[in-house]
Amino acid sequence: MTSMAARIEALEAGTCTLEAPVQPAFSQQHGFAHAAASFALGDVACGYAALSMLDEDQEVLTSEMKIHLLAPAKGTHLIARAEVIRPGRRLMITRADVFARAQDGSESHVATLLGTIVPVPRG
Amino acid sequence: MTSMAARIEALEAGTCTLEAPVQPAFSQQHGFAHAAASFALGDVACGYAALSMLDEDQEVLTSEMKIHLLAPAKGTHLIARAEVIRPGRRLMITRADVFARAQDGSESHVATLLGTIVPVPRG
Amino acid sequence: MTSMAARIEALEAGTCTLEAPVQPAFSQQHGFAHAAASFALGDVACGYAALSMLDEDQEVLTSEMKIHLLAPAKGTHLIARAEVIRPGRRLMITRADVFARAQDGSESHVATLLGTIVPVPRG
Amino acid sequence: MTSMAARIEALEAGTCTLEAPVQPAFSQQHGFAHAAASFALGDVACGYAALSMLDEDQEVLTSEMKIHLLAPAKGTHLIARAEVIRPGRRLMITRADVFARAQDGSESHVATLLGTIVPVPRG
């Protein structure tokens, strides 16, 4: 979160929206950096969406996550919107969509993630 | 690659090994940072493994990638070993295993990735 | 389709709904058969959703598909609702949700799929 | 297993090999049936590999599974070789490779699977 300068835009029971500026370092390469940044933001959003449904003495780990890169991330910000599609005591199935927002406010769908978050006792 | 201080340890037709120091920022959080760093290193290793089989006027994009986080990344370095399991003109199926290496040189298996890399004309 | 006695309930540009009776052989085992039947129906629905956006001289192959099994498939019918989330000339990214419908018409969400369909010339 | 006429060729702690004849119904369509048959055989092999490491009062469910279809399944038999790559009390990470065997005994790699198996108390 810190290294991406991400911030929480919205957080409710089972959903989370994160936003982060597109790093200059990232905007210069269209491939690997897009994948890494979209993965990181989408994965964290899934984690927070899961965390929002848990007790305070629990935290979360990603067990597995799949990402599809749908389009180049052209814009000034990345936005990840995540939701828990199946809450469970042992496993929480989550998905997230990542959008790039341009200067004029328009958004394009750049990635989608689907994966498994595991609740664990806070360490 | 630059922001992770990663370097190529080995690169042959269809395989690639990358190595990167574990960032202090990463070592303090066991969850999200591990996922992001293992994904980034494994994904780039898959990309290079694919690139090693292509003509010089081509580059690669990740279409989709799945990662399983298997264990906490305890150690000083992350090592990603990738291979192309099916080369194709339109799609290249790749996998990578990510290991954490400790001070004493021992390695633990921390993540495995499986995904699709797409060759595209160099832009 | 034939061996599952599946039928097309709806088919428009980019979406498809399939329905199949739950096989007695399947209903007796809650695990493997549920996975196989939900995968088969969801995968075919994704394929048809993709096919609905292509020219008549093209057919489709599944390149990769991920399925999450969310709940036991209790009911008389399985229903798969698929959509193309990114149409492309070379790759089509699709997802499907599979529901079990009970005697009283109520539906439960039993599986979700996300994967890559590839258009190929009709053989 | 029954409907595929599959049989266990080998089963040790953490690994399993299954074999099934290619169904005539399957051999006539190269796409959907290949995906469904390879998924079913690979998924069951992963389940047995996991089961081989558990106590007798436990059974297994597939939580999620990803399959890549690598080549058409030309041959008389499908063979799935599965292994547990990370055993866990709550989650078991497994992978399988599926091969088609021709009349002359030669094998081709037709699919690879990677997914999560969950141990549950025998019902």
Side-chain angles (χ1 to χ4, degrees):
Chain A
M1 292 283 282
T2 310
S3 69
M4 297 187 72
R7 61 175 198 172
I8 298 174
E9 289 294 302
L11 182 64
E12 293 179 53
T15 67
C16 174
T17 302
L18 295 182
E19 187 175 313
V22 171
Q23 308 286 334
F26 284 3
S27 63
Q28 286 165 15
Q29 290 177 281
H30 62 300
F32 295 139
H34 169 31
S38 294
F39 177 84
L41 199 68
D43 178 51
V44 174
C46 286
Y48 275 97
L51 204 53
S52 72
M53 302 183 79
L54 298 175
D55 294 338
E56 289 203 0
D57 59 348
Q58 291 182 292
E59 57 188 350
V60 292
L61 289 174
T62 300
S63 173
E64 58 77 32
M65 189 63 65
K66 184 197 197 193
I67 185 170
H68 283 264
L69 286 311
L70 304 174
K74 291 174 184 160
T76 62
H77 289 76
L78 286 181
I79 299 144
R81 297 190 177 96
E83 64 174 327
V84 175
I85 61 175
R86 182 187 171 273
R89 208 167 34 83
R90 301 204 304 176
L91 300 177
M92 306 186 79
I93 312 307
T94 61
R95 75 172 156 216
D97 288 293
V98 183
F99 301 86
R101 192 176 60 215
Q103 283 285 14
D104 64 5
S106 64
E107 292 186 4
S108 57
H109 194 187
V110 298
T112 194
L113 295 87
L114 177 63
T116 306
I117 303 286
V118 179
V120 294
R122 196 170 288 277
Chain B
M1 291 285 281
T2 311
S3 68
M4 298 187 71
R7 61 177 198 172
I8 298 174
E9 290 295 300
L11 182 63
E12 293 179 54
T15 66
C16 175
T17 302
L18 296 182
E19 187 175 311
V22 171
Q23 308 286 334
F26 284 2
S27 63
Q28 287 164 14
Q29 292 177 280
H30 63 299
F32 294 139
H34 168 31
S38 294
F39 178 85
L41 200 68
D43 178 51
V44 174
C46 286
Y48 275 98
L51 205 54
S52 72
M53 303 183 79
L54 298 175
D55 293 339
E56 288 202 1
D57 59 348
Q58 291 182 292
E59 57 188 348
V60 292
L61 288 175
T62 300
S63 173
E64 59 78 31
M65 188 65 64
K66 185 198 196 192
I67 185 171
H68 284 262
L69 286 312
L70 304 174
K74 292 175 183 161
T76 61
H77 288 77
L78 285 181
I79 298 143
R81 298 188 176 97
E83 65 175 323
V84 175
I85 60 175
R86 182 185 171 274
R89 207 167 36 83
R90 301 206 303 176
L91 300 177
M92 307 186 78
I93 312 307
T94 61
R95 74 172 156 217
D97 288 293
V98 183
F99 302 86
R101 192 174 62 214
Q103 284 284 17
D104 65 5
S106 64
E107 291 185 5
S108 57
H109 193 186
V110 298
T112 194
L113 296 88
L114 177 64
T116 306
I117 303 287
V118 179
V120 294
R122 196 170 289 278
Chain C
M1 292 285 281
T2 311
S3 68
M4 297 186 73
R7 61 177 198 171
I8 297 173
E9 289 295 302
L11 182 62
E12 293 178 54
T15 66
C16 174
T17 302
L18 295 182
E19 187 175 312
V22 171
Q23 308 285 336
F26 283 4
S27 62
Q28 287 164 14
Q29 292 177 281
H30 62 299
F32 294 139
H34 169 30
S38 294
F39 177 85
L41 199 68
D43 178 52
V44 173
C46 286
Y48 275 97
L51 204 54
S52 72
M53 302 183 80
L54 299 175
D55 293 338
E56 287 203 359
D57 59 347
Q58 291 182 292
E59 58 188 349
V60 291
L61 288 175
T62 299
S63 173
E64 58 76 33
M65 188 64 65
K66 185 198 197 192
I67 185 171
H68 283 264
L69 286 312
L70 304 175
K74 291 175 184 161
T76 62
H77 289 77
L78 285 180
I79 298 145
R81 298 190 176 94
E83 64 175 324
V84 176
I85 60 175
R86 183 186 170 274
R89 208 168 34 83
R90 300 204 304 176
L91 300 177
M92 306 186 80
I93 313 306
T94 61
R95 75 172 157 217
D97 289 292
V98 183
F99 301 86
R101 192 173 62 213
Q103 284 285 15
D104 64 5
S106 64
E107 291 185 4
S108 56
H109 193 187
V110 298
T112 193
L113 296 88
L114 177 64
T116 306
I117 303 286
V118 179
V120 294
R122 195 170 290 278
Chain D
M1 291 285 282
T2 311
S3 69
M4 298 186 71
R7 61 177 198 172
I8 297 173
E9 289 295 301
L11 182 63
E12 293 179 54
T15 66
C16 174
T17 302
L18 295 182
E19 187 175 313
V22 171
Q23 308 286 334
F26 284 3
S27 63
Q28 287 165 14
Q29 291 177 279
H30 63 299
F32 295 139
H34 168 30
S38 294
F39 177 85
L41 199 69
D43 177 51
V44 174
C46 285
Y48 275 98
L51 204 54
S52 72
M53 303 184 79
L54 298 176
D55 294 337
E56 288 203 0
D57 59 348
Q58 290 182 293
E59 58 187 347
V60 292
L61 289 174
T62 300
S63 173
E64 59 77 33
M65 188 63 65
K66 185 198 195 193
I67 184 170
H68 283 264
L69 287 311
L70 304 174
K74 291 175 184 161
T76 62
H77 289 76
L78 285 181
I79 298 144
R81 297 189 177 96
E83 64 174 327
V84 175
I85 61 175
R86 183 186 170 274
R89 206 167 38 81
R90 300 204 306 176
L91 300 177
M92 307 185 79
I93 312 307
T94 61
R95 74 172 158 218
D97 288 293
V98 182
F99 301 86
R101 192 173 62 212
Q103 283 285 15
D104 65 6
S106 63
E107 291 185 6
S108 56
H109 193 186
V110 299
T112 193
L113 296 88
L114 176 64
T116 306
I117 303 286
V118 180
V120 293
R122 196 169 289 279

